[in-house]
Amino acid sequence: NAGVTQTPKFQVLKTGQSMTLQCAQDMNHNSMYWYRQDPGMGLRLIYYSASEGTTDKGEVPNGYNVSRLNKREFSLRLESAAPSQTSVYFCASITGNREGYTFGSGTRLTVV
Amino acid sequence: SQKIEQNSEALNIQEGKTATLTCNYTNYSPAYLQWYRQDPGRGPVFLLLIRENEKEKRKERLKVTFDTTLKQSLFHITASQPADSATYLCALGNSGGYQKVTFGTGTKLQVIP
């Protein structure tokens, strides 16, 4: 049981480049989330998908897009990366009978 | 605006003692509160959830209290061990579901042998 798997683990982008962060969970969870974590800021919600086929904006959605490809996979896309998007990105999932999120191990992204 | 405060300074404690971490909040009426553990370079790991109608919750060496009058939760680790060293995050959620969870910035705990 792998839980939540994120790829890649590390990435360096140049300003203006695009990339997609991948997330997959094998726990049959309904809801999936993308957070970013910055020093002194705590985890902030970018986008979430309450169930397959739906996506909604979180607290800091600007500059990002998401796709809930199927129940297992939820990807985060940066169309034109900016230095302000340098952060650690975490994917998480949960389902109705659970009390807490299961997080992936994160993607450390640097935009230069 | 909603605000969650966790002590940003690291908490150093001697092995075997009880560690107590604080989570205060303002402008918020949470339906539940979660605590997570985060190790360096890893994602947070869920530990405990306590609901607004619960005063206290226990799990092995962990105890969480929730005082909605004081707007505060206390997280205790009894008989602390060096392996308990990590950053601990609190998160508050309202009745709107898990998409409404707001995280604190975390407190780093160092247990000294």
Side-chain angles (χ1 to χ4, degrees), chain A residues 33 35 37 40-43 45 48 50 90 94-96 98-106 108, chain B residues 32 34 36 38 41-46 48-49 51 57 89 97-105:
Chain A
Y33 305 80
Y35 283 90
Q37 188 174 39
M41 298 290 289
L43 285 156
L45 182 63
Y48 66 95
F90 288 101
I94 197 168
T95 201
R98 307 291 293 181
E99 292 189 330
Y101 294 116
T102 300
F103 281 87
S105 57
R108 185 172 295 273
Chain B
Y32 59 87
Q34 301 167 322
Y36 291 80
Q38 187 173 22
R42 308 294 295 271
V45 174
F46 171 71
L48 278 169
L49 178 146
R51 301 188 190 282
K57 202 98 171 262
L89 311 175
Y98 288 107
Q99 58 267 30
K100 302 297 185 182
V101 170
T102 303
F103 283 83
T105 54

